[in-house]
Amino acid sequence: MEFRRKDRPFVIAGPCSAETREQVLETAEGLKDLNVDLLRAGVWKPRTRPGNFEGVGEEGIEWLREAGNAIGKPISVEIANSNHVELALKGGVDVLWIGARTTVNPFMVQEIADALKGTDVPVLVKNPVNPDVELWIGAIERLQSVGLTKLGAIHRGFSTFQKSPFRNSPNWNIPIELKRRMPDLPIICDPSHICGSRELLAEVAQKAIDLNMDGLMLETHRNPEKAWSDAAQQITPVQLHNILSELVWRNPNAIDMEVQAKLEELRATIDGLDRDILDLLFERLSVSRNIGEYKREHNITILQHQRWNEILHDREAYVQGKELSQRFLNRFLEAIHEESIQQQTQVMNAKKVKE
Ligand code: PEP
Ligand code: MN
């Protein structure tokens, strides 16, 4: 199995979890005529908290095998230990994938690699939940070192404690670095687990294609709202069809991965600098508020025209000869000045209320 096609992205679709025979068969039927290359379903589900649906187990493989045969597509399941490997191979699963919670654990990955020794089963390795490219590469190397050659990676985003529109932050630099280190390894993006909700799927899928990834894994369910796991992020086969048909599929040869990587690096620098600018601005405004208090204590007016004129002249002189237009400088200073006055006024009013 090649996880890469010339004409369009390689697509993996199917439910997060196999729930019932009918659900698997009906979902697969909806995918039959779409550009889907591999059918997926989880039968052993790694749930964050106990007490949730943990998968139907071995029986689910039979349903998936039946569904794959019915629509003429190969099938894949997640495996997390040697017992899963044995059952999946016995059940005729074509492709295995290692989940994000397993890639983090070298003992488990080694156990899986040992169980696969002597076969050449295709395996996809999801990124570890933490943003660590070495751990991701390490897992792939463990599989390579037992002789597996049909390998690919799945980018499903990374856990973060920070507030973000994503369930798992994409950290695009990490799959780009993986591509740089392992240029021949196909990389498939999993927008479903990155987004955690349906709304952003199309945008993330397009971004993955723009970054020259080889394919997409999108969780698809006959009735997503009623799904037993990951209900908020699954889509119907019709919605999948719509997302796939709106993707702009760029000619991979026209996109140089190194150019993209450089661009991402420069953008990351800009992101960092913007934060530095904002941090300095917070500091400046905090000094303004202190001035506000001080003026209040000494009964001085907030706005002193002479001081404002001094600021303008001083800053104009400071940027002489630099690449910054006079117009921008004035607008920038005025905006800061306006916010300072606003915050100083708040400080004064807050004091008045107290008195
Ligand atoms: C899944 O694909 O359903 C899954 C559990 O994914 P991940 O390992 O990326 O969380
Ligand atoms: Mn899922």
Short mmCIF file of all heavy atoms in Angstrom, two decimals, residues 249 281 329 342-343:
data_model
loop_
_atom_site.label_atom_id
_atom_site.label_comp_id
_atom_site.label_asym_id
_atom_site.label_seq_id
_atom_site.Cartn_x
_atom_site.Cartn_y
_atom_site.Cartn_z
N TRP A 249 -6.40 21.24 -4.85
CA TRP A 249 -5.29 20.28 -4.84
C TRP A 249 -4.16 20.83 -5.68
O TRP A 249 -4.25 20.94 -6.89
CB TRP A 249 -5.82 18.95 -5.37
CG TRP A 249 -4.83 17.83 -5.50
CD1 TRP A 249 -4.66 17.04 -6.60
CD2 TRP A 249 -3.93 17.33 -4.51
NE1 TRP A 249 -3.71 16.10 -6.34
CE2 TRP A 249 -3.24 16.24 -5.08
CE3 TRP A 249 -3.63 17.71 -3.19
CZ2 TRP A 249 -2.26 15.54 -4.38
CZ3 TRP A 249 -2.65 17.01 -2.50
CH2 TRP A 249 -1.99 15.92 -3.10
N LEU A 281 3.99 46.79 25.06
CA LEU A 281 2.85 47.69 25.13
C LEU A 281 2.16 47.58 26.50
O LEU A 281 1.80 48.59 27.11
CB LEU A 281 1.88 47.33 24.00
CG LEU A 281 0.83 48.36 23.65
CD1 LEU A 281 1.46 49.69 23.29
CD2 LEU A 281 0.01 47.85 22.46
N LEU A 329 3.86 56.21 11.73
CA LEU A 329 4.34 56.57 13.07
C LEU A 329 3.30 57.40 13.81
O LEU A 329 3.00 57.14 14.98
CB LEU A 329 5.66 57.36 12.96
CG LEU A 329 6.21 57.81 14.30
CD1 LEU A 329 6.71 56.63 15.11
CD2 LEU A 329 7.32 58.83 14.14
N GLN A 342 -7.12 56.86 28.06
CA GLN A 342 -8.30 56.07 28.47
C GLN A 342 -8.02 55.33 29.78
O GLN A 342 -8.81 55.36 30.72
CB GLN A 342 -8.58 55.09 27.31
CG GLN A 342 -9.52 53.98 27.59
CD GLN A 342 -10.95 54.47 27.52
OE1 GLN A 342 -11.19 55.58 27.04
NE2 GLN A 342 -11.86 53.69 28.03
N GLN A 343 -6.84 54.68 29.86
CA GLN A 343 -6.52 53.91 31.06
C GLN A 343 -6.24 54.82 32.26
O GLN A 343 -6.59 54.49 33.38
CB GLN A 343 -5.34 52.97 30.77
CG GLN A 343 -5.71 51.93 29.73
CD GLN A 343 -4.92 50.63 29.87
OE1 GLN A 343 -4.20 50.44 30.84
NE2 GLN A 343 -5.07 49.76 28.89
#
